[in-house]
């Protein structure tokens, strides 16, 4: 699924083309949830073309729902709704994979940077930038 991300924080974010937006594509098999009490925290990975802004360097984001939703965020995106996520990148700039996700869960791979993004699904023909 292709998604347009609009960065809300940091406020002066520039994806490299003078805008605060970029297109990413979800990575099959890199999505799930974790239970927190009676709630579920949903997450997935989306890759994009490399972005450099100040200390941020990423081509892959681990996206975690910023707010509780009654439905899974992927379902909301599929229905054309806008969803807000916290997006974390790997500090070495590499893409997220099973090993790095496991390392992050175990605290062996620190996550020190996060962007806040509004996300909406876009047509598959949309170019990734």
């Amino acid at each position: 699924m292709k998604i347009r991300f609009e960065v809300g924080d940091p406020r002066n974010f520039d994806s490299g083309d003078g805008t605060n937006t970029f297109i990413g594509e979800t990575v099959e098999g890199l999505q799930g949830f974790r239970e927190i009490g009676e709630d579920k925290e949903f997450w997935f990975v989306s890759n994009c073309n490399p972005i450099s802004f100040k200390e941020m360097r990423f081509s892959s984001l681990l996206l975690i729902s910023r707010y509780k939703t009654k439905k899974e965020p992927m379902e909301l995106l599929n229905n054309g709704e806008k969803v807000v996520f916290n997006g974390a990148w790997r500090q070495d700039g590499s893409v997220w994979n099973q090993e790095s996700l496991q390392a992050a869960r175990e605290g062996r791979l620190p996550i020190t940077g996060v962007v806040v993004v509004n996300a909406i699904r876009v047509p598959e023909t949309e170019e990734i930038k």
Side-chain angles (χ1 to χ4, degrees):
M1 172 190 317
K2 289 189 180 176
I3 301 171
R4 175 179 292 114
F5 296 103
E6 179 181 306
V7 179
D9 189 28
R11 298 220 181 269
N12 60 344
F13 182 85
D14 183 340
S15 63
D17 65 356
T19 72
N20 67 334
T21 64
F22 60 95
I23 304 291
E25 189 163 18
T26 57
V27 180
E28 192 172 324
L30 294 183
Q31 64 185 36
F33 66 90
R34 70 177 183 144
E35 293 186 12
I36 303 173
E38 295 181 17
D39 294 321
K40 291 182 180 177
E41 178 182 76
F42 293 94
W43 59 270
F44 67 94
V45 172
S46 182
N47 291 343
C48 61
N49 286 334
I51 293 177
S52 293
F53 177 71
K54 297 188 178 182
E55 73 284 349
M56 300 176 210
R57 298 203 182 354
F58 62 85
S59 57
S60 184
L61 288 175
L62 169 59
L63 295 140
I64 302 167
S65 299
R66 187 166 176 89
Y67 305 109
K68 292 180 191 174
T69 59
K70 293 184 189 260
K71 296 182 181 178
E72 292 185 30
M74 295 301 279
E75 182 180 343
L76 296 171
L77 290 170
N78 275 324
N79 291 335
E81 296 182 47
K82 188 180 283 189
V83 184
V84 180
F85 294 97
N86 291 328
W89 62 90
R90 288 182 53 178
Q91 301 310 300
D92 64 4
S94 298
V95 296
W96 287 101
N97 56 33
Q98 290 290 355
E99 295 78 24
S100 59
L101 290 168
Q102 184 63 34
R105 278 193 290 271
E106 294 171 355
R108 295 181 289 115
L109 183 66
I111 297 175
T112 58
V114 174
V115 291
V116 178
V117 295
N118 289 311
I120 192 161
R121 185 176 183 176
V122 295
E124 289 301 313
T125 55
E126 192 95 11
E127 185 178 326
I128 294 178
K129 64 170 195 162

